[in-house]
Amino acid sequence: MRKSPKINLYVALIHYPVVNKNGQIIASAVTNLDLHDIARAAKTYGVKKYYIITPIDDQKKLVKKITAHWTHGVGAEFNPLRREALELITVRSSLEEVLDEMGQRELKKIRLVVTSAKKNQNSLSYSDFRDMLNIKNDNQYILLFGTAWGLAKEVIEKADYVLEPISGNTPYNHLSVRSAAAIIMDRLLGNHGLSS
Amino acid sequence: MRKSPKINLYVALIHYPVVNKNGQIIASAVTNLDLHDIARAAKTYGVKKYYIITPIDDQKKLVKKITAHWTHGVGAEFNPLRREALELITVRSSLEEVLDEMGQRELKKIRLVVTSAKKNQNSLSYSDFRDMLNIKNDNQYILLFGTAWGLAKEVIEKADYVLEPISGNTPYNHLSVRSAAAIIMDRLLGNHGLSS
């Protein structure tokens, strides 16, 4: 019934380099529900792939173990719908590895978009990004989400665009990364009858 | 800087009566991140209270233990922002208990709105509900989210309104309740520059 358009969007959840409460660069631990929730949202909104980025071998193994359970193991039989979502997950050691891989596979230019809870002078608005995803152009976009207290400065500086922060209707802006990712995908790709 | 309007909206997460995979009525277990994620989103969007509904004593104790850790315990000192969100949580045994309590406290009429992943003939649209929340009227709204495979039929039949399902841009509609709650609050209350 509904069209499933080809969306030129990838998402990635970064576990390194991110910052802790004190602004120090750390590698955060993988959270099971970050895999499930963001994969299910990515599947709902037609995102191409969902990259989990961590340089730590044990953590990479953990991600593979969880996704294998739901894509090939007992979980796949128990809940095939969960399988469809978790199949979008690919684990990689670094953003550079992802960009190299995408560069080899894609003929289109790759544009890096970062999310941040902080305001930025040249923020990209949701409506502009929505338009960019809707028009036929030569770009592929990869949207980065940070774990812990957010993406390290070096990642933000590398980006082509910084997406504007989510604004609720209070000064409080401390959503979980799972909620933020869901809301952002909905603002960019959802059929919510509020815009085109 | 930004206004924090008074929103006549409460949210509640129902653990009983909900249905399992086979449509049977069950009481689901409380999930830690359901408390955190939905409380943080509720705080972001100015929701009045976040009710956790479960009739099981051990589960009620668990909810109180988790929230006490973050509102009065070590967690409150470590992360005061988390405290502000989790302070919205109130645990109750049943929806009836919540409605009785609200009825005694509120002079306004209480309207029950349920969420469902299934289409309904008389669904309330996001834009209509958004308008209802924005205008000054004599209503208080309580928005119910179901855990497990969703709210039991008896709860849906009791509702004044059934909110339309979230539509992404694919036929896949299996978001986590945490993602669905975040998206719905954003559609109803967010400043996303796509509508008034």
Side-chain angles (χ1 to χ4, degrees), chain A residues 169-170, chain B residues 5-9 41-48 88 189:
Chain A
N169 52 4
T170 71
Chain B
K6 277 219 161 187
I7 302 295
N8 287 324
L9 185 67
K43 184 74 190 169
T44 302
Y45 292 98
V47 165
K48 280 190 170 172
L88 293 180
L189 302 165

Side-chain angles (χ1 to χ4, degrees), chain B residues 99-144:
Chain B
L99 294 175
D100 281 353
E101 225 180 80
M102 284 176 69
Q104 286 167 20
R105 197 177 54 227
E106 297 280 359
L107 294 173
K108 296 185 172 188
K109 268 176 282 181
I110 298 156
R111 298 294 186 197
L112 207 59
V113 184
V114 294
T115 54
S116 167
K118 289 187 200 117
K119 279 201 182 175
N120 182 293
Q121 256 191 326
N122 303 307
S123 287
L124 177 64
S125 74
Y126 291 97
S127 54
D128 283 351
F129 194 12
R130 195 175 163 99
D131 289 345
M132 285 152 62
L133 291 170
N134 276 324
I135 55 171
K136 282 200 177 87
N137 65 26
D138 284 336
N139 296 329
Q140 290 284 344
Y141 298 92
I142 177 160
L143 181 61
L144 307 188

Side-chain angles (χ1 to χ4, degrees), chain A residues 179-190:
Chain A
S179 297
I183 291 166
I184 288 171
M185 284 185 248
D186 187 61
R187 286 187 178 198
L188 295 175
L189 302 166

Side-chain angles (χ1 to χ4, degrees), chain A residues 108-127:
Chain A
K108 295 185 172 190
K109 270 177 281 182
I110 299 155
R111 300 295 186 195
L112 207 59
V113 184
V114 293
T115 54
S116 167
K118 289 187 200 119
K119 280 202 180 176
N120 182 293
Q121 257 191 325
N122 302 308
S123 286
L124 176 65
S125 74
Y126 291 96
S127 54

Side-chain angles (χ1 to χ4, degrees), chain B residues 8-170:
Chain B
N8 287 324
L9 185 67
Y10 295 79
V11 298
L13 186 67
I14 313 285
H15 297 82
Y16 176 86
V18 291
V19 293
N20 69 8
K21 199 185 164 190
N22 303 316
Q24 293 156 321
I25 291 184
I26 55 157
S28 69
V30 167
T31 301
N32 179 43
L33 284 184
D34 286 355
L35 306 186
H36 283 264
D37 283 13
I38 298 176
R40 291 162 76 180
K43 184 74 190 169
T44 302
Y45 292 98
V47 165
K48 280 190 170 172
K49 260 182 199 292
Y50 170 30
Y51 288 103
I52 304 294
I53 297 179
T54 172
I56 299 169
D57 279 339
D58 278 355
Q59 294 279 297
K60 290 171 74 172
K61 275 185 205 149
L62 175 66
V63 176
K64 284 177 187 166
K65 197 175 158 188
I66 294 170
T67 53
H69 171 78
W70 291 100
T71 55
H72 299 91
V74 180
E77 206 161 312
F78 174 71
N79 190 343
L81 292 165
R82 197 61 63 90
R83 189 193 67 220
E84 282 184 55
L86 291 200
E87 277 171 355
L88 293 180
I89 291 179
T90 303
V91 60
R92 290 291 178 262
S93 299
S94 67
L95 179 59
E96 288 65 33
E97 195 183 327
V98 171
L99 294 175
D100 281 353
E101 225 180 80
M102 284 176 69
Q104 286 167 20
R105 197 177 54 227
E106 297 280 359
L107 294 173
K108 296 185 172 188
K109 268 176 282 181
I110 298 156
R111 298 294 186 197
L112 207 59
V113 184
V114 294
T115 54
S116 167
K118 289 187 200 117
K119 279 201 182 175
N120 182 293
Q121 256 191 326
N122 303 307
S123 287
L124 177 64
S125 74
Y126 291 97
S127 54
D128 283 351
F129 194 12
R130 195 175 163 99
D131 289 345
M132 285 152 62
L133 291 170
N134 276 324
I135 55 171
K136 282 200 177 87
N137 65 26
D138 284 336
N139 296 329
Q140 290 284 344
Y141 298 92
I142 177 160
L143 181 61
L144 307 188
F145 296 101
T147 53
W149 267 256
L151 294 166
K153 206 176 153 197
E154 62 182 85
V155 180
I156 294 174
E157 285 172 350
K158 210 178 286 176
D160 297 292
Y161 302 99
V162 179
L163 191 61
E164 66 174 316
I166 293 168
S167 125
N169 52 4
T170 70

Side-chain angles (χ1 to χ4, degrees), chain A residues 2-5 7 21 31 33 37 40-41 43-46 77-79 81-82 84-85 127 149 166-176 178-179 182-183 186-187 189-192 194-195, chain B residues 2-5 7 21 31 33 37 40-41 43-46 77-79 81-82 84-85 127 149 166-176 178-179 182-183 186-187 189-192 194-195:
Chain A
R2 274 170 290 172
K3 59 175 181 170
S4 293
I7 303 294
K21 199 185 165 189
T31 301
L33 285 184
D37 283 13
R40 292 162 75 179
K43 185 75 190 167
T44 301
Y45 291 98
E77 206 160 313
F78 174 71
N79 190 343
L81 292 165
R82 197 61 63 90
E84 281 184 56
S127 54
W149 267 253
I166 293 168
S167 128
N169 52 4
T170 71
Y172 190 89
N173 68 338
H174 306 282
L175 293 166
S176 73
R178 296 168 292 282
S179 297
I183 291 166
D186 187 61
R187 286 187 178 198
L189 302 166
N191 290 327
H192 31 58
L194 296 172
S195 79
Chain B
R2 273 170 292 171
K3 58 174 182 169
S4 293
I7 302 295
K21 199 185 164 190
T31 301
L33 284 184
D37 283 13
R40 291 162 76 180
K43 184 74 190 169
T44 302
Y45 292 98
E77 206 161 312
F78 174 71
N79 190 343
L81 292 165
R82 197 61 63 90
E84 282 184 55
S127 54
W149 267 256
I166 293 168
S167 125
N169 52 4
T170 70
Y172 189 89
N173 69 338
H174 305 283
L175 292 166
S176 73
R178 297 168 291 282
S179 297
I183 290 166
D186 187 61
R187 286 187 179 200
L189 302 165
N191 291 326
H192 31 59
L194 294 173
S195 79

